[in-house]
Amino acid sequence: MKIFIIVFSFLLQIEELGKIEKVFGSAFLLREGKKIIVFGGEGVLLGDTVVTDKNSYVEITLKEGHKIGVGERSELKIEKTIVGEEGTFKKFLLKVNIFMGRIRGFLKKGREEWVNFTSPTSVVGVRGTEFEIICSDDGSSAIEIIEGEVSLFTDEIRTLKEGERAIYDITEEKFEILPSTTPFSVEEWLSRKRRELEERRREIEEKHNRRLKKIIEKYEENMERIKSSAEKGEEEDMETGLSIFSMIDDSLSNTGEFMRKRDLKNMYEKRVKEVRERWEKRRMEIMKRFEKRRKEIKERMERKREEIEKRRRER
């Protein structure tokens, strides 16, 4: 069994997610510490980081048919993990971690994959939709929905609909949803946020830490929700809980890595590690309990059905 897990993990690491179809300007992949200049046609592997320079653009086509457009001065990392266990949901979660820049997602409808696009201040959980997410130098984010709707996590879970733009400003600790027709200059916003990071670095560091504290509280709160769903054997609630949990977990990971990249002191790094380790220890136990409870409910319902059928025949 151990050999199988090791081999499976190795294969997961080298899996090709898709290909770079278009390249304008200068862009490269970071893979295992190596810098690979891209010209088009290169495969994108799990764990690859895609980086674009000024006046550059890259388009990635994933195997599932989804497309990701990467704008200039952008950096994102593509990962994949398993949500649930064998016999439960058997779902894979595709994680697109955005550390800076402008990303456009074109996700096909009718797909069952879970896909999270994560910036330091927001997680966009998407199915079939078209949207744009912009991440500034200080970690602030702007998300615009062009078609469909998404689940959005900042410090709460919300639904963002077509024609809406959400802006989370970490410097002002302000969140707002506006019509996408509201005037908004991406270039001016990014330039202003770049200046603010240099002028108010200490203050921004403190605000990211306050947000991390809130995310940790949400993490533990939702852990209890999943445990409760497992006890009841409620599949729909269990799946919803795991979906939300994946967004909160991605937010913890991305924010921590972003703070290291920006040389911002993370007061909660040890705490983040502790809660994630605690979840990993409990995850298998919770999944087994859920499977057992669901099986018991199924058997009880089957017995009830047989009793009803027997009484019907006797009449």
Side-chain angles (χ1 to χ4, degrees), residues 200-214:
R200 304 166 68 177
R201 177 173 289 271
R202 180 72 179 273
E203 179 187 344
I204 289 168
E205 179 181 275
E206 290 172 355
K207 289 177 177 180
H208 273 295
N209 275 307
R210 277 203 292 272
R211 183 170 177 274
L212 264 177
K213 185 180 179 182
K214 289 181 182 177

Side-chain angles (χ1 to χ4, degrees), residues 294-304:
R294 192 172 64 159
K295 186 178 178 181
E296 289 172 354
I297 292 170
K298 188 176 179 181
E299 289 173 349
R300 189 168 68 243
M301 289 177 68
E302 183 62 26
R303 286 196 300 271
K304 188 72 174 175

Side-chain angles (χ1 to χ4, degrees), residues 225-284:
R225 175 179 176 174
I226 293 171
K227 182 182 174 184
S228 175
S229 297
E231 294 282 0
K232 297 173 184 176
E234 296 173 349
E235 185 167 344
E236 188 175 339
D237 282 356
M238 186 72 167
E239 185 163 350
T240 300
L242 284 171
S243 178
I244 293 170
F245 196 84
S246 74
M247 297 176 74
I248 300 171
D249 187 64
D250 283 356
S251 188
L252 281 177
S253 300
N254 188 292
T255 305
E257 191 165 348
F258 170 82
M259 292 181 79
R260 285 193 292 274
K261 284 177 177 288
R262 291 289 185 271
D263 295 322
L264 302 174
K265 185 179 178 183
N266 184 352
M267 291 173 57
Y268 293 96
E269 192 165 10
K270 184 178 177 182
R271 182 68 181 135
V272 168
K273 186 178 178 182
E274 285 173 356
V275 295
R276 295 188 75 191
E277 285 176 350
R278 187 157 64 89
W279 164 248
E280 283 304 315
K281 287 179 182 177
R282 296 181 64 188
R283 184 165 61 94
M284 287 295 291

Side-chain angles (χ1 to χ4, degrees), residues 122-134:
S122 60
V123 182
V124 179
V126 295
R127 297 297 179 266
T129 189
E130 182 179 344
F131 70 98
E132 186 171 62
I133 180 167
I134 304 159

